[in-house]
Amino acid sequence: MSKQERIFALGEYAAGGVTALVTATATHAVVAPGWDMALAMMVGGFLGIAAHLAIAMVAGPLLGMFPVMASGSLIGSYGGMIFGMRDSMQAASWVRVWIVSALFGLVVVAGVRLYDRALRSRQLADPVFEDIT
Amino acid sequence: MKDPTRDKWDRASRTYDLITWADERRYGAAKARLFSRMRGRCLMLATGTGNDFCNFPPGLVVSSIDVSRGMLECAKPRAREYPGVLSLLQMDAHRMAFRDAAFDTIVTVSTFCSVPDPVRGLRELYRVLKRDGRLLVFEHVRSRLGPIAMMQDLLTPISRRFGPDLNRDTMGNLARAGFRLVREENVYLDIVKVAEAFRA
């Protein structure tokens, strides 16, 4: 992996972690234990997408629009729904909210990067751009 | 006459290089590999600010078109640096002022995410491409991964106001326009792709 690729990889993890932290913080601030779970999930998802869009505006030009968008959209939408569901069921501490959300963000970015690698490595066995006509 | 597409890209030309800074670094090698297949008289669609010219093989004769005057103004200095013959023309991909079968190679870079009627635009490419000519494509498309595709669908009404659609089926549109796809390669997930096609 080149130095540039390592920097982009670190940036993707940082952007994913920040997106998850902002999503979880906003959701935890809004959703309280006892909320209807479906409503909490919708609110969390909405807040997560808003957080993702705001962070993507800054991180996209620095790291690439699609790498930021692919993992950020998953973290924002699904993470927001999961965090909303959790906050409607239990009174988690802020520290736990931040640790779990950061972990969630990093895991999603790792999963997206692995999937990307799998999609591209599958093609290496198939020589690119050799005429088959 | 007012043209919303042209006006949008004129506005985008002011910040285009800034917004695509990282994309150029990430995908430059894949583009250079694709462009190494350029032969004969070439046409490039959606010139943008000309930041792809540095990835062209030297010594080609290239006509490079864009609908936006602002983009072409940004591309002028880069066109002058190209070690070959590169002419910039303001033209709409739906109605090109070239004769039939005029080009040996056509390259598109993030073009059919923005052309308002992509199949009509691709049929126009079909018209100006020689029978044995090749179409080289670098495009972003709708993912087949459900959650990401759903987000692309959700975000497209926003992205369309400032730039491209995120959820086009460009590989399917190639076939709809009459092209025969002979290669397709993922550059990032199954969203950013390079492909090669011939006239069917």
Side-chain angles (χ1 to χ4, degrees):
Chain A
M1 193 189 270
S2 70
K3 187 181 172 190
Q4 180 178 274
E5 286 170 330
R6 282 200 300 274
I7 292 170
F8 280 136
L10 278 174
E12 282 176 44
Y13 281 108
V18 169
T19 303
L21 278 170
V22 172
T23 300
T25 302
T27 307
H28 193 61
V30 172
V31 176
W35 272 45
D36 180 90
M37 197 186 290
L39 183 64
M41 283 175 71
M42 282 194 288
V43 169
F46 176 80
L47 291 171
I49 290 170
H52 155 58
L53 286 177
I55 290 161
M57 298 260 281
V58 179
L62 296 171
L63 300 170
M65 282 297 172
F66 289 107
V68 168
M69 200 199 80
S71 48
S73 62
L74 294 173
I75 294 165
S77 57
Y78 295 98
M81 287 194 276
I82 292 168
F83 301 147
M85 194 163 64
R86 185 260 323 270
D87 290 331
S88 73
M89 290 193 295
Q90 60 181 230
S93 71
W94 279 106
V95 173
R96 199 164 97 187
V97 164
W98 288 328
I99 289 171
V100 170
S101 63
L103 189 65
F104 178 82
L106 299 179
V107 167
V108 171
V109 173
V112 169
R113 288 181 59 82
L114 271 174
Y115 185 57
D116 174 48
R117 189 176 293 185
L119 280 176
R120 284 186 291 135
S121 64
R122 204 178 300 159
Q123 296 168 138
L124 294 178
D126 187 15
V128 174
F129 293 134
E130 279 191 6
D131 276 346
I132 57 170
T133 52
Chain B
M1 200 170 75
K2 201 165 169 58
D3 178 342
T5 304
R6 189 188 59 209
D7 295 346
K8 177 173 77 176
W9 290 107
D10 278 344
R11 284 192 299 276
S13 68
R14 295 173 209 144
T15 53
Y16 188 80
D17 282 344
L18 185 70
I19 287 170
T20 58
W21 180 85
D23 291 325
E24 289 310 315
R25 274 143 195 84
R26 290 185 92 118
Y27 309 134
K31 287 180 183 176
R33 197 154 47 101
L34 178 72
F35 297 158
S36 70
R37 306 279 289 168
M38 292 167 76
R39 300 281 184 277
R41 193 173 172 218
C42 303
L43 169 67
M44 184 196 192
L45 259 81
T47 304
T49 58
N51 47 19
D52 292 315
F53 296 159
C54 63
N55 294 315
F56 283 179
L60 295 170
V61 178
V62 184
S63 301
S64 193
I65 71 164
D66 202 294
V67 72
S68 158
R69 168 69 60 183
M71 288 288 189
L72 291 171
E73 287 297 328
C74 295
K76 270 184 186 172
R78 288 165 174 152
R80 280 195 288 267
E81 285 172 15
Y82 175 67
V85 180
L86 203 159
S87 50
L88 299 174
L89 302 157
Q90 187 176 14
M91 212 177 279
D92 187 337
H94 297 106
R95 299 176 300 275
M96 291 190 285
F98 298 116
R99 61 179 167 77
D100 293 357
F103 295 99
D104 298 288
T105 309
I106 300 178
V107 294
T108 77
V109 177
S110 301
T111 304
F112 287 94
C113 51
S114 311
V115 170
D117 185 342
V119 176
R120 193 175 139 212
L122 284 164
R123 285 194 181 126
E124 187 68 349
L125 294 196
Y126 190 96
R127 181 184 70 77
V128 301
L129 184 65
K130 286 181 181 171
R131 179 154 287 281
D132 58 348
R134 70 181 78 225
L135 172 63
L136 303 173
V137 171
F138 181 98
E139 296 281 343
H140 59 85
V141 301
R142 188 178 191 268
S143 174
R144 274 175 286 191
L145 187 65
I148 293 178
M150 195 178 74
M151 287 308 295
Q152 287 178 294
D153 292 341
L154 274 174
L155 294 178
T156 290
I158 301 169
S159 71
R160 186 183 289 155
R161 298 174 71 89
F162 311 101
D165 286 14
L166 301 174
N167 61 351
R168 292 273 179 96
D169 174 24
T170 299
M171 299 302 140
N173 288 340
L174 282 169
R176 281 175 209 112
F179 285 101
R180 181 167 47 91
L181 201 63
V182 292
R183 280 285 173 241
E184 183 181 333
E185 179 191 346
N186 296 318
V187 177
Y188 179 71
L189 292 175
D190 60 346
I191 300 174
V192 182
K193 287 178 179 279
V194 293
E196 181 169 1
F198 292 95
R199 284 174 56 145

